[in-house]
């Protein structure tokens, strides 16, 4: 009886993944995931079941699930909705493409929703060439081939794809191509209107699925991609559920409409996004941050906000990488009105900014010289974000 009870409890625990839920306010709660629908997420916390509205959730993290890569070189597919994930095989005709992945299972999508397929493995030299082709504008499909460490292509029209052949039309000629000789395919697709996904699903194989709907029934997740395709996912393959899109905008994702640098001496220290001046992570108060801005004195950043945001939040401080003599004066304005003004020194504890930006269209951040000239004036605005 005891062994049966233990086995039953083990199964129940396995079916209830542990998650960490972070809200828009930055607070986090942990518990065992019980259920989730389009409106709420339910956790078991101790003896209690508690529900939280998804409208106030930033992300749901699965701390026990680690990122992992398959030993076999997988294919990589991109969809028009922004989804990008590895697969093991695919078959395609002019209407439907069937994708087979270890984590996504069998997924059927409209062929017109597929923007690229990479068959070959990337290295540092090929990465730049492949990205350049992906980001270029093409009037025809590209059949990309690898010649040593260089990528070349033929333009035309891609037809059916089987396990070993790619149908390709170059002008009036139809050419059956051995799939093993092809590095990748980039389709010429008309520009589509971007829509904000309900949830961005981060998989442990480093894939990303953009979903218009997602639910959890106590065993599996069911997701509907923005392409209309449906998939069932095990909790063990999910690293994070990101609900921030449409709710949160990181300042590092925005382009300032104006930047002004005023060096104290001759060196101009340009601001950087999501990294410190040395290329490493932002570090304040002994904690590392993957998102934010590095700003050196004297720098003025001006942003034009198009959306209706309510709050501006950030963790502010002098970066831990410099000696304890950094000293800057910071002033943040909204529509010309001062929202924050004060000195920030290395000896200070990190400042949690939470500013009301309701109705603000023009946001201005000034990092000015302090009392120590410009020496070690390396200010970080960590997790700097606008919240609706």
């Amino acid at each position: 009886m005891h062994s049966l009870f233990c086995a039953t409890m083990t199964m129940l625990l396995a079916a209830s993944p542990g998650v960490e839920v972070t809200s828009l306010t930055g607070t986090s709660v942990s518990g065992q995931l019980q259920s989730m629908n389009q409106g709420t997420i339910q956790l078991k916390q101790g003896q209690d079941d508690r529900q939280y509205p998804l409208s106030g959730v930033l992300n749901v993290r699965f701390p026990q699930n680690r990122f992992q890569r398959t030993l076999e070189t997988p294919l990589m597919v991109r969809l028009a909705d922004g989804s990008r994930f590895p697969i093991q095989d695919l078959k395609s005709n002019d209407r439907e493409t069937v994708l087979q992945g270890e984590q996504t299972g069998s997924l059927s999508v409209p062929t017109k929703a597929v923007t690229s397929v990479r068959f070959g493995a990337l290295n540092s030299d090929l990465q730049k060439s492949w990205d350049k082709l992906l980001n270029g504008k093409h009037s025809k499909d590209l059949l990309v081939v690898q010649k040593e460490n260089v990528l070349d292509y033929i333009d035309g029209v891609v037809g059916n794809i089987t396990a070993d052949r790619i149908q390709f039309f170059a002008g009036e000629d139809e050419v059956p191509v051995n799939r093993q000789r092809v590095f990748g395919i980039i389709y010429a697709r008309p520009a589509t209107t971007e829509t904000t996904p309900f949830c961005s699903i981060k998989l442990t194989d480093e894939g990303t699925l953009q979903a218009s709907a997602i639910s959890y029934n106590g065993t599996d997740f069911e997701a509907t991609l923005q392409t209309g395709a449906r998939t069932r996912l095990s909790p063990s393959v999910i690293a994070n559920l990101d609900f921030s899109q449409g709710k949160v905008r990181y300042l590092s994702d925005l382009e300032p409409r104006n930047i002004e640098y005023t060096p104290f001496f001759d060196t101009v220290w340009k601001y950087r996004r999501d990294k410190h001046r040395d290329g490493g992570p932002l570090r304040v108060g002994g904690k590392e941050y993957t998102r934010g801005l590095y700003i050196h004195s004297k720098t003025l950043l001006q942003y034009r906000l198009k959306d209706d945001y309510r709050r501006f939040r950030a963790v502010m401080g002098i970066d831990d990488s410099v000696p304890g003599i950094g000293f800057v004066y910071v002033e943040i304005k909204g529509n010309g009105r001062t929202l924050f003004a004060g000195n920030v020194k290395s000896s200070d504890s990190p400042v949690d900014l939470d500013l009301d930006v309701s109705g603000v269209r023009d946001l201005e951040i000034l990092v000015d010289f302090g009392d120590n000239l410009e020496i070690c004036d390396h200010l970080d605005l960590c997790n700097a974000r606008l919240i609706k």
Side-chain angles (χ1 to χ4, degrees), residues 90-107:
L90 87 161
K91 294 181 181 179
S92 178
N93 56 40
D94 59 349
R95 299 181 305 277
E96 180 186 51
T97 297
V98 179
L99 309 168
Q100 188 67 42
E102 284 187 355
Q103 298 198 346
T104 57
S106 182
L107 193 63

Side-chain angles (χ1 to χ4, degrees), residues 245-299:
Q245 298 187 55
K247 301 175 184 177
V248 174
R249 194 72 184 268
Y250 285 93
L251 223 56
S252 56
D253 290 333
L254 300 180
E255 192 72 38
R257 67 178 179 87
N258 182 49
I259 306 172
E260 295 179 12
Y261 298 109
T262 307
F264 194 94
F265 297 109
D266 295 327
T267 303
V268 173
W269 301 82
K270 294 186 177 182
Y271 97 105
R272 303 194 70 174
R273 309 181 194 186
D274 298 333
K275 61 184 66 175
H276 189 51
R277 63 185 175 92
D278 59 6
L282 305 172
R283 297 183 294 272
V284 171
K287 184 177 180 180
E288 291 188 355
Y289 296 86
T290 58
R291 303 302 303 266
L293 301 179
Y294 155 77
I295 312 172
H296 193 278
S297 62
K298 176 180 180 180
T299 302

Side-chain angles (χ1 to χ4, degrees), residues 287-352:
K287 184 177 180 180
E288 291 188 355
Y289 296 86
T290 58
R291 303 302 303 266
L293 301 179
Y294 155 77
I295 312 172
H296 193 278
S297 62
K298 176 180 180 180
T299 302
L300 175 67
L301 302 177
Q302 294 174 314
Y303 296 87
R304 175 61 60 88
L305 309 183
K306 296 181 180 180
D307 298 304
D308 185 21
Y309 295 101
R310 297 181 300 105
R311 314 296 301 182
F312 172 66
R313 292 195 174 99
V315 177
M316 180 172 63
I318 301 295
D319 194 90
D320 289 349
S321 64
V322 297
I325 56 174
F327 191 128
V328 297
Y329 173 77
V330 178
E331 189 171 44
I332 301 176
K333 292 183 178 181
N335 294 343
R337 178 172 58 90
T338 299
L339 306 176
F340 173 89
N343 295 322
V344 180
K345 298 180 287 185
S346 293
S347 57
D348 295 338
S349 298
V351 178
D352 288 319

Side-chain angles (χ1 to χ4, degrees), residues 102-335:
E102 284 187 355
Q103 298 198 346
T104 57
S106 182
L107 193 63
S108 176
V109 301
T111 298
K112 64 181 180 181
V114 181
T115 58
S116 71
V117 181
R118 175 170 57 79
F119 301 100
L122 285 176
N123 58 36
S124 57
D125 293 323
L126 296 176
Q127 181 76 62
K128 291 183 180 179
S129 298
W130 179 245
D131 288 343
K132 185 176 181 180
L133 291 174
L134 284 175
N135 296 324
K137 293 183 179 180
H138 313 289
S139 59
K140 295 182 179 181
D141 300 338
L142 304 186
L143 191 73
V144 183
V145 295
Q146 180 180 350
K147 298 178 180 179
E148 295 183 350
N149 244 4
V150 178
L151 296 181
D152 199 358
Y153 65 87
I154 305 170
D155 58 11
V157 177
V158 174
N160 296 345
I161 302 175
T162 65
D164 56 0
R165 288 285 185 269
I166 297 176
Q167 186 182 32
F168 190 72
F169 298 89
E172 299 295 326
D173 300 324
E174 177 182 344
V175 182
V177 180
N178 187 335
R179 202 173 97 169
Q180 291 185 348
R181 297 182 178 179
V182 177
F183 182 86
I185 293 169
I186 299 175
Y187 290 95
R189 300 298 190 205
T192 56
T193 303
E194 292 187 4
T195 57
T196 302
F198 176 71
C199 178
S200 184
I201 307 170
K202 312 291 185 181
L203 302 177
T204 58
D205 63 7
E206 299 186 346
T208 300
L209 304 176
Q210 306 294 5
S212 59
I214 185 169
S215 62
Y216 178 67
N217 59 15
T219 304
D220 295 313
F221 285 90
E222 294 183 1
T224 302
L225 305 192
Q226 295 203 123
T227 61
R230 295 183 178 182
T231 184
R232 187 181 295 270
L233 301 167
S234 166
S236 63
V237 306
I238 297 178
N240 187 65
L241 301 177
D242 182 359
F243 294 95
S244 66
Q245 298 187 55
K247 301 175 184 177
V248 174
R249 194 72 184 268
Y250 285 93
L251 223 56
S252 56
D253 290 333
L254 300 180
E255 192 72 38
R257 67 178 179 87
N258 182 49
I259 306 172
E260 295 179 12
Y261 298 109
T262 307
F264 194 94
F265 297 109
D266 295 327
T267 303
V268 173
W269 301 82
K270 294 186 177 182
Y271 97 105
R272 303 194 70 174
R273 309 181 194 186
D274 298 333
K275 61 184 66 175
H276 189 51
R277 63 185 175 92
D278 59 6
L282 305 172
R283 297 183 294 272
V284 171
K287 184 177 180 180
E288 291 188 355
Y289 296 86
T290 58
R291 303 302 303 266
L293 301 179
Y294 155 77
I295 312 172
H296 193 278
S297 62
K298 176 180 180 180
T299 302
L300 175 67
L301 302 177
Q302 294 174 314
Y303 296 87
R304 175 61 60 88
L305 309 183
K306 296 181 180 180
D307 298 304
D308 185 21
Y309 295 101
R310 297 181 300 105
R311 314 296 301 182
F312 172 66
R313 292 195 174 99
V315 177
M316 180 172 63
I318 301 295
D319 194 90
D320 289 349
S321 64
V322 297
I325 56 174
F327 191 128
V328 297
Y329 173 77
V330 178
E331 189 171 44
I332 301 176
K333 292 183 178 181
N335 294 343

Side-chain angles (χ1 to χ4, degrees), residues 364-379:
E364 182 178 295
I365 300 173
L366 172 67
V367 178
D368 206 344
F369 307 119
D371 290 349
N372 294 330
L373 307 180
E374 64 165 13
I375 301 172
C376 297
D377 284 358
H378 302 293
L379 182 84

